[in-house]
Amino acid sequence: MSLGLRMDSGDLWWKQSILYCLDVKTFFDANDDGVGDFEGLIHRIDHLSALGVSCVWLLPFYQSPHRDDGYDITDFYSIDPRYGTIADFVAFIHAASERGIKVIIDLVANHTSDEHPWFVESRSSRESPKRHWYIWSDEPIDEATSIIFPGLQTTNWTFDEESGQYYFHRFHDFQPDLNHSNREVREEIMQIMRFWIQLGVAGFRFDAAPFLIETVGVHDEPNKAHHEWLREYAAFIKRRRGDAVLVGEANLDPKETAEYFGDGDEMHLLYNYSQNAALLASLASEEAEPLADHFSALPPIPEQCGWLNFARLHDELNMDRLDERRKKTVFDVFAPEENMRIYGRGLRRRLPPMLEGDRRRLELAYSLTFATPGMPMLFYGEEIGMGDNLDLPDRLPARTVMQWSSADNGGFSGGDPADMVRPVAAEPFGPKRVNVKDQRDDPNSFLHWMQRLITTRKESSAIGYGQVEVVDSGQPDVLVHRFDWETHLVLTVHNLTDQPKTLNLRRLAGERAHNLELEFADGSKWGVEPVADEEVELPGYGYRWIRGFTRPTKNPLP
């Protein structure tokens, strides 16, 4: 049963939707060559449909030398032949559409591979028509640019012997930055967007959004951010598909990040990195304060925009948004070994190993992630509590293949294990104990619990459209926050410790609240039942979602 579903929300479909991120090459291998493909993705689309996700985000699938896991692209208009053909891609779009699932794709517009024909032409001569598609200089320009990959990268400028100048790169030296101050580059980006929109995609995830609009090293431009370029991209896509969404990656403080919403005319969704860091800080310290501080600090944003919330994503879990005390706590609790950390700022692990497989804490973490303003996102495998493989380098431990069964290769591929594009996760979170098939057969599994969580979140329009407010629980280890939208409310309560807590839910909901019903709770409680008791005992790591209505404030007579 839906609560207060908006009937005019076609262009804002993501307000009550769930995003699912996957990598084609690690999801399912249909031809047993060890590499996932679009045919395999079509074969497993019903898993996503049954899970209840509304939109799939595909990580890069373009042609690439794969020196940076596909983010070093040589052709934005083609598909890596190992994954299939354009026809296979279109068939997947159709299969998803038939099940009511939209598809967005990664648009890595900040840089290309140094093997891309554009860069090959650019470096061939200083007079090349493509020369100013990239950023060149006779000497490195010190503009206080940051090193993105400490330990792997020492400079943002690399000397090119062929053309006798330095080229600029935010990331690896084999990923030269495109010059977005060049109108021709921006027009090409829009042509790429047009191409994929015509094939049926519903939007794009802009990789490294802040770097698209900063003019580092461009001599005829001041060093400033050009938000008008993002508005140009947003207007372009809106004209071609009214319900399209632009997702921006901007790992900044919330107020700085919110600038990339513009006036509702730039990014529609932005990653909520600060919330992810606060979530881990609250889980590690078992204190409500980090998350409460985060919610209280969220800036106002345009109504048509929102945050993208996650417990895990394909990159490292970045703790730069935390102060040093909280950051140390997270590292001490969740990454005590150096091999679990990366770049001095992040964690290479997935959540289940970090929480030692404690089902109660896992449910608590995802309940908190979904009971927050914005659109929840799942990274493939989270729905079954999949683990990681710390034997893999850099950011790859969380990018192991999807575990479909306890069979060889986790049911991902019937091919030779030696040909696998990526191994399975390490035990005890590998396929022998964690896989889709076994959990589908068990009504009490984490997979079935996640399906219930997704259904509940999609029905909670007050979370999708409302404003969040932290409520004083009177206990530092219990987080209570509520959402109000029109006359609807959702009150959520989360116990961050293993000790039971006694709470008066009606008092926390306020005097104006009425018709309170328990919507979702720990202990596999699901469905709607009246909140009858004043005092409720919340078990260790327990949680409650309570919905109801608020009576309007009476206006005094003149």
Side-chain angles (χ1 to χ4, degrees):
M1 176 180 177
S2 176
L3 175 63
L5 181 63
R6 289 180 70 125
M7 301 306 292
D8 60 343
S9 57
D11 288 356
L12 301 178
W13 53 268
W14 47 267
K15 288 276 190 177
Q16 287 176 255
S17 299
I18 312 300
L19 182 64
Y20 188 96
C21 173
L22 65 88
D23 192 344
V24 176
K25 67 176 175 287
T26 58
F27 202 63
F28 188 71
D29 170 23
N31 60 4
D32 292 341
D33 66 350
V35 181
D37 42 52
F38 278 104
E39 185 179 351
L41 190 48
I42 294 170
H43 189 64
R44 294 301 191 194
I45 190 68
D46 286 324
H47 168 73
L48 302 180
S49 178
L51 185 59
V53 302
S54 319
C55 182
V56 171
W57 158 31
L58 301 179
L59 295 178
F61 50 78
Y62 311 97
Q63 287 201 30
S64 166
H66 290 280
R67 298 178 67 185
D68 184 25
D69 204 26
Y71 281 85
D72 48 329
I73 295 167
T74 56
D75 187 351
F76 290 95
Y77 297 95
S78 68
I79 291 173
D80 186 312
R82 298 179 303 168
Y83 310 155
T85 64
I86 289 290
D88 295 326
F89 175 87
V90 172
F92 164 66
I93 293 288
H94 288 167
S97 179
E98 288 172 352
R99 292 159 178 81
I101 299 174
K102 299 178 188 291
V103 179
I104 67 172
I105 65 175
D106 240 315
L107 183 56
V108 189
N110 169 249
H111 54 262
T112 68
S113 166
D114 60 1
E115 298 179 30
H116 195 293
W118 299 343
F119 188 71
V120 172
E121 184 176 344
S122 178
R123 78 194 317 179
S124 67
S125 166
R126 295 194 186 192
E127 286 71 45
S128 165
K130 291 289 193 294
R131 186 66 173 182
H132 295 295
W133 280 45
Y134 296 86
I135 300 168
W136 296 92
S137 178
D138 290 330
E139 297 293 338
I141 299 172
D142 181 13
E143 299 200 44
T145 53
S146 60
I147 299 298
I148 303 299
F149 302 130
L152 299 178
Q153 177 189 7
T154 59
T155 180
N156 295 113
W157 293 91
T158 294
F159 187 71
D160 179 55
E161 296 284 352
E162 187 171 341
S163 58
Q165 280 187 311
Y166 291 83
Y167 62 88
F168 179 73
H169 52 90
R170 290 274 188 180
F171 297 89
H172 297 287
D173 59 4
F174 53 81
Q175 293 169 312
D177 270 34
L178 285 163
N179 177 12
H180 281 256
S181 70
N182 185 333
R183 176 69 189 177
E184 291 181 0
V185 170
R186 300 199 302 276
E187 289 178 347
E188 186 68 35
I189 298 302
M190 288 186 280
Q191 291 309 309
I192 294 168
M193 294 168 65
R194 183 202 303 270
F195 176 82
W196 293 104
I197 289 171
Q198 289 176 332
L199 294 182
V201 305
F204 301 89
R205 178 259 190 186
F206 272 76
D207 184 56
F211 301 154
L212 302 181
I213 61 175
E214 293 180 2
T215 53
V216 173
V218 180
H219 299 290
D220 58 348
E221 289 278 359
N223 184 17
K224 66 178 183 179
H226 289 264
H227 283 266
E228 66 268 21
W229 299 341
L230 296 182
R231 291 194 292 272
E232 188 176 20
Y233 294 145
F236 179 87
I237 193 173
K238 194 70 173 178
R239 290 194 300 269
R240 280 148 186 84
R241 177 162 179 165
D243 65 344
V245 64
L246 294 183
V247 181
E249 178 197 30
N251 189 1
L252 305 166
D253 289 330
K255 289 183 179 179
E256 295 177 285
T257 301
E259 294 176 6
Y260 290 82
F261 290 126
D263 293 324
D265 53 359
E266 295 183 31
M267 298 291 106
H268 302 102
L269 289 163
L270 288 168
Y271 282 76
N272 205 342
Y273 283 101
S274 295
Q275 178 172 295
N276 179 249
L279 169 69
L280 292 183
S282 281
L283 292 174
S285 65
E286 299 194 340
E287 296 175 348
E289 185 181 51
L291 272 170
D293 287 350
H294 164 74
F295 291 139
S296 298
L298 279 177
I301 62 174
E303 183 181 3
Q304 63 269 43
C305 299
W307 302 101
L308 185 62
N309 304 310
F310 55 92
R312 210 352 166 156
L313 77 173
H314 65 297
D315 288 332
E316 76 276 13
L317 295 174
N318 191 318
M319 298 296 106
D320 274 350
R321 299 300 119 209
L322 297 176
D323 61 36
E324 287 304 314
R325 178 180 63 84
R326 287 176 175 171
K327 183 176 180 180
K328 183 179 186 303
T329 299
V330 170
F331 279 179
D332 288 348
V333 174
F334 292 142
E337 300 175 18
E338 190 62 34
N339 189 39
M340 299 172 178
R341 308 177 184 183
I342 188 169
Y343 307 141
R345 67 182 183 231
L347 286 71
R348 305 194 319 137
R349 311 181 73 190
R350 279 189 183 246
L351 217 56
M354 288 164 52
L355 298 177
E356 299 177 332
D358 189 328
R359 170 75 178 265
R360 300 171 304 162
R361 298 177 74 193
L362 271 175
E363 288 188 13
L364 177 73
Y366 286 100
S367 176
L368 281 165
T369 302
F370 276 58
T372 48
M375 183 182 191
M377 182 187 81
L378 289 174
F379 187 49
Y380 74 95
E382 285 190 280
E383 70 270 30
I384 57 172
M386 203 167 86
D388 49 46
N389 190 327
L390 292 174
D391 290 337
L392 295 172
D394 301 327
R395 296 183 289 180
L396 297 184
R399 305 180 190 179
T400 56
V401 298
M402 183 65 178
Q403 297 170 182
W404 295 103
S405 72
S406 60
D408 292 343
N409 303 330
F412 162 78
S413 172
D416 190 328
D419 295 331
M420 291 266 285
V421 66
R422 206 73 50 77
V424 297
E427 297 296 345
F429 302 98
K432 297 302 180 186
R433 300 188 186 186
V434 178
N435 65 74
V436 173
K437 182 181 183 303
D438 289 350
Q439 293 195 26
R440 184 176 290 147
D441 294 340
D442 178 4
N444 296 314
S445 69
F446 191 68
L447 173 62
H448 282 280
W449 177 86
M450 185 64 76
Q451 288 173 323
R452 294 193 292 271
L453 175 63
I454 288 172
T455 298
T456 304
R457 175 60 180 81
K458 289 166 70 175
E459 292 178 348
S460 298
S461 54
I463 298 180
Y465 291 93
Q467 299 296 317
V468 63
E469 176 189 359
V470 177
V471 180
D472 183 9
S473 70
Q475 305 186 57
D477 42 20
V478 177
L479 178 68
V480 180
H481 58 296
R482 64 180 289 163
F483 300 85
D484 288 274
W485 174 67
E486 297 182 347
T487 61
H488 308 287
L489 74 86
V490 171
L491 182 79
T492 65
V493 183
H494 293 86
N495 179 8
L496 292 155
T497 76
D498 63 353
Q499 299 301 309
K501 303 290 180 179
T502 301
L503 297 166
N504 187 312
L505 298 181
R506 290 187 175 274
R507 180 186 65 80
L508 293 173
E511 293 180 358
R512 294 171 54 217
H514 65 101
N515 285 18
L516 296 181
E517 298 173 326
L518 180 65
E519 186 175 25
F520 191 68
D522 53 83
S524 299
K525 296 175 184 175
W526 187 56
V528 176
E529 60 182 67
V531 176
D533 299 326
E534 291 283 333
E535 301 292 333
V536 175
E537 185 170 281
L538 203 63
Y541 303 122
Y543 52 89
R544 298 284 190 275
W545 291 26
I546 297 160
R547 75 184 193 185
F549 298 89
T550 54
R551 295 184 178 91
T553 302
K554 293 182 179 180
N555 295 322
L557 294 174

